[in-house]
Amino acid sequence: MSEERFGEFVLVRRHERGHVAELVLDRPGAMNAVSTGMARSIAGACAALGEDRDVRAVVLSSSHERAFCVGADLKERNSFSDADLVRQRPVARGAYTGVLELPVPTVAAVHGFALGGGFELALSCDVIVADRTAVMGLPEVSVGVIPGGGGTQLLPRRVGAARAAELIFTARRVEAGEARELGLVDELVEEGRDREEALAMAARIARNSPVGLRAAKRALRLGHGLDLSAGLEVEDAAWRSVAFSGDRAEGVAAFNEKRRPEWPGE
């Protein structure tokens, strides 16, 4: 396993021969509250991972024992002028879009508090694995703002418009059991096993074709919300991008030869 640090508060670990990257939120002194500097680091790490063709899956995790991420750094925000807030907005937004736009499958490993922007970082992932200590919610209206890291758009895509409205308008916190029932998380695991299970899922994902994984994610994301005929055109374009690839040839050959594929990744 290798490690690379992006700024002071973000760590990237490589697992599975570099095919699984773990992006670790590592600001334990502030329960991973996202400061301006941390937001830049998240965006920078995501940009690097997105360009790395060896990476087939990313796990978003936390080094803090009691929190995934408590959202924006409100202590920092308290010192901002209106002009400071305007300047920070694209930096903050870049962190969330960085995770959302990663071209490979992403898995969030959530324990403890995942609130506000912290929950939005998890929502930006394709799959959320949470342990039984998880508490999540979007409390922004209780401090005079709205979810600004994608929450108003990502949450209804998970749980429907009415349920998302109730959660956002009440600003209430949801504990792990209810979160699983509502569909806020996809896998609920025993306390302390969120990271282990997320990494195991990412390892299973990473055994598959890197060309296929990127194309499948692209089709899923671009096709969401389109009518069926338009969505099928998106799927067809993604299929054509892989149908004549080296990965497709290797995958078919390996199946017929009853062996594990050695993906060329092209």
Side-chain angles (χ1 to χ4, degrees):
M1 182 177 67
S2 64
E3 295 186 352
E4 180 181 5
R5 187 163 287 279
F6 289 79
E8 187 178 355
F9 303 126
V10 173
L11 179 67
V12 171
R13 297 190 180 111
R14 306 294 181 121
H15 306 265
E16 302 291 327
R17 297 183 297 173
H19 296 322
V20 173
E22 182 185 5
L23 196 165
V24 186
L25 305 176
D26 188 31
R27 195 187 178 200
M31 300 181 82
N32 290 330
V34 182
S35 62
T36 304
M38 187 174 179
R40 285 197 184 95
S41 295
I42 293 171
C46 289
L49 292 173
E51 294 174 358
D52 189 339
R53 301 299 295 189
D54 285 336
V55 174
R56 301 178 187 175
V58 173
V59 171
L60 181 62
S61 68
S62 162
S63 65
H64 196 284
E65 293 183 355
R66 295 187 295 109
F68 174 72
C69 173
V70 294
D73 186 342
L74 295 185
K75 291 183 178 179
E76 179 188 61
R77 292 273 182 94
N78 192 48
S79 68
F80 279 5
S81 66
D82 288 351
D84 291 333
L85 192 58
V86 169
R87 282 191 293 269
Q88 194 223 26
R89 174 59 178 164
V91 177
R93 192 175 180 188
Y96 303 107
T97 57
V99 176
L100 185 64
E101 294 176 359
L102 279 166
V104 297
T106 50
V107 184
V110 177
H111 60 264
F113 297 112
L115 301 174
F119 186 33
E120 288 173 304
L121 286 171
L123 288 171
S124 297
C125 294
D126 298 303
V127 180
I128 300 176
V129 176
D131 82 357
R132 294 188 179 279
T133 69
V135 178
M136 51 198 63
L138 296 174
E140 284 88 347
V141 297
S142 70
V143 293
V145 291
I146 70 165
T152 65
Q153 306 305 304
L154 295 170
L155 187 57
R157 283 168 165 78
R158 270 190 164 267
V159 300
R163 178 61 68 195
E166 181 264 322
L167 292 170
I168 291 170
F169 295 160
T170 63
R172 72 182 180 92
R173 298 182 178 188
V174 181
E175 296 188 358
E178 184 186 4
R180 180 66 182 90
E181 291 175 5
L182 295 179
L184 300 181
V185 303
D186 304 298
E187 297 283 343
L188 184 60
V189 300
E190 294 304 312
E191 180 177 346
R193 291 186 57 85
D194 54 295
R195 176 177 177 269
E196 180 181 350
E197 294 293 340
L199 285 169
M201 181 184 294
R204 291 194 298 273
I205 291 169
R207 296 188 192 112
N208 298 310
S209 158
V211 171
L213 289 171
R214 287 174 179 247
K217 177 162 180 173
R218 189 165 64 249
L220 283 163
R221 287 289 177 89
L222 293 179
H224 188 90
L226 299 179
D227 63 50
L228 180 58
S229 61
L232 290 173
E233 290 302 316
V234 169
E235 180 183 83
D236 187 64
W239 179 86
R240 290 175 186 277
S241 73
V242 301
F244 310 104
S245 68
D247 274 15
R248 194 274 309 170
E250 169 63 10
V252 172
F255 177 83
N256 284 285
E257 295 166 14
K258 297 181 172 56
R259 59 175 174 81
R260 184 171 177 172
E262 295 291 335
W263 304 113
E266 56 186 21

